[in-house]
Amino acid sequence: MQLLGLHHITAIASDPKVNHDFYTRVLGLRFVKRSVNQDDPGTYHLYYGDEVGAPGTALTFFPWQGMRRGRSGNGQAIATAFSIAAGSLAYWQQRLTRLGIATTPLPARFGDDVLAFTDPDGLTLELIATNQPDPRVPAPSADVPREHGLRGFHSTTLAVVDAAATADLLTTVMGYRRVATAGNRTRYTVAAGAPGSAVDLVVDPALPRGLSGAGTVHHIAFRVADDAQQLVAHAALEERAVGVSPIIDRAYFKSIYYREPSGVLFEIATDQPGFAIDESVATLGTRLSLPPRLEPQRAEIEAALPSLD
Ligand code: ZN
């Protein structure tokens, strides 16, 4: 299969307004889609990203009011890293500190500086100031100057108990290549190491088993260019007896799902058609977007959802 890197990452939150304020105002991402959880239309599905929510930039949330916190640990994506310009780490450290958000500078990782912090639900985020070329343009933001903006995903870190099994799936079926190891962390990339393609595997026997809940990642989605490439991926996973779902039309992309050997839920999603299929780029996120089958219930659904403004 030909994966192009990370497509989106979906995590669990509690209060949707707090989540919305943090990702749009504090981090300066664009709110690109206001939709509902297709399996639970009484709750939101919120999407943040660059100006259009391009694949590789979209962080999405299922915010469930009152959701208890999960526990970060093995079998989970334990950190979500965004790419920022090499000179922008000091800006972010000052900005987050000024806003009362605790930051932790981490030791350089494969030559890049890393700043870690958590979102209001405890989700671990990292900003990686990288010298590697990254032509992706941050979303326009009234709060964050564009030169310091988040350019999209840098990498995800998976905590695995059986690194060999996960690495085998990544390298033999998914086309990833091992590029570097430092300590207990090994980095894999695809698509010639394109920005937003890295998956780091971390082995830490001291970590507990992860528990799903607010502040944890729900799944990691990888990009394929089109429907044909998704069929290739589906066939390759079936041949490997990985237990892959049928193809599901998510309106903004088509998806297949499977669980990697350490328990992290993976998805492979198409680049097309993208978030501008049901509203214009200029107005993305301003209106509740519903799949056609839920349109007849729009009034009830809108009345039940809390305000984000
Ligand atoms: Zn997804």
Side-chain angles (χ1 to χ4, degrees):
M1 68 178 79
Q2 285 190 344
L3 300 181
L4 302 176
L6 299 168
H7 185 289
H8 64 271
I9 294 176
T10 296
I12 302 170
S14 56
D15 187 285
K17 184 180 184 322
V18 170
N19 178 265
H20 178 267
D21 286 351
F22 183 82
Y23 285 96
T24 59
R25 302 301 306 275
V26 175
L27 295 190
L29 298 179
R30 185 169 185 205
F31 184 39
V32 291
K33 192 60 67 180
R34 177 192 305 249
S35 190
V36 293
N37 183 335
Q38 293 187 16
D39 301 318
D40 178 12
T43 60
Y44 279 119
H45 191 179
L46 306 179
Y47 298 72
Y48 311 97
D50 72 358
E51 185 164 22
V52 297
T57 74
L59 180 59
T60 94
F61 288 90
F62 297 133
W64 278 292
Q65 291 274 15
M67 183 71 176
R68 72 179 195 300
R69 279 199 179 189
R71 182 176 72 194
S72 183
N74 280 314
Q76 281 181 340
I78 58 169
T80 298
F82 289 92
S83 162
I84 58 172
S88 293
L89 211 64
Y91 166 85
W92 279 102
Q93 189 156 18
Q94 287 166 14
R95 172 174 174 76
L96 294 170
T97 301
R98 180 162 47 80
L99 295 172
I101 296 158
T103 61
T104 308
L106 298 180
R109 182 182 300 166
F110 304 120
D112 292 330
D113 290 327
V114 185
L115 186 69
F117 55 101
T118 60
D119 85 352
D121 286 302
L123 183 73
T124 296
L125 302 171
E126 295 171 338
L127 300 179
I128 299 189
T130 178
N131 284 309
Q132 284 191 326
D134 187 343
R136 298 175 295 173
V137 178
S141 164
D143 300 287
V144 177
R146 190 168 270 201
E147 69 265 29
H148 296 306
L150 277 52
R151 303 186 289 199
F153 296 125
H154 178 282
S155 50
T156 178
T157 297
L158 311 185
V160 294
V161 284
D162 185 350
T166 301
D168 185 57
L169 181 71
L170 283 172
T171 57
T172 63
V173 184
M174 296 172 64
Y176 266 79
R177 289 188 184 172
R178 190 182 78 79
V179 291
T181 297
N184 65 347
R185 177 182 296 271
T186 301
R187 174 159 295 170
Y188 298 83
T189 65
V190 76
S197 72
V199 173
D200 288 1
L201 301 187
V202 161
V203 179
D204 181 356
L207 278 180
R209 179 83 198 158
L211 291 175
S212 182
T216 65
V217 170
H218 186 271
H219 63 267
I220 302 289
F222 298 88
R223 296 171 57 191
V224 282
D226 53 30
D227 291 3
Q229 281 300 323
Q230 189 171 57
L231 283 172
V232 170
H234 193 269
L237 291 162
E238 281 206 317
E239 187 182 332
R240 193 49 195 259
V242 169
V244 60
S245 77
I247 294 169
I248 300 171
D249 188 345
R250 294 300 192 191
Y252 312 114
F253 38 82
K254 289 181 184 163
S255 299
I256 57 177
Y257 301 87
Y258 55 105
R259 220 168 265 286
E260 59 82 33
S262 294
V264 183
L265 185 60
F266 281 179
E267 171 182 351
I268 294 177
T270 55
D271 276 5
Q272 299 297 327
F275 295 113
I277 190 175
D278 60 357
E279 47 187 348
S280 70
V281 168
T283 60
L284 286 175
T286 55
R287 174 175 188 268
L288 184 70
S289 293
L290 293 175
R293 68 179 171 84
L294 292 175
E295 275 297 344
Q297 296 152 253
R298 172 174 285 274
E300 299 98 287
I301 290 171
E302 284 187 333
L305 290 169
S307 169
L308 297 178
D309 306 311

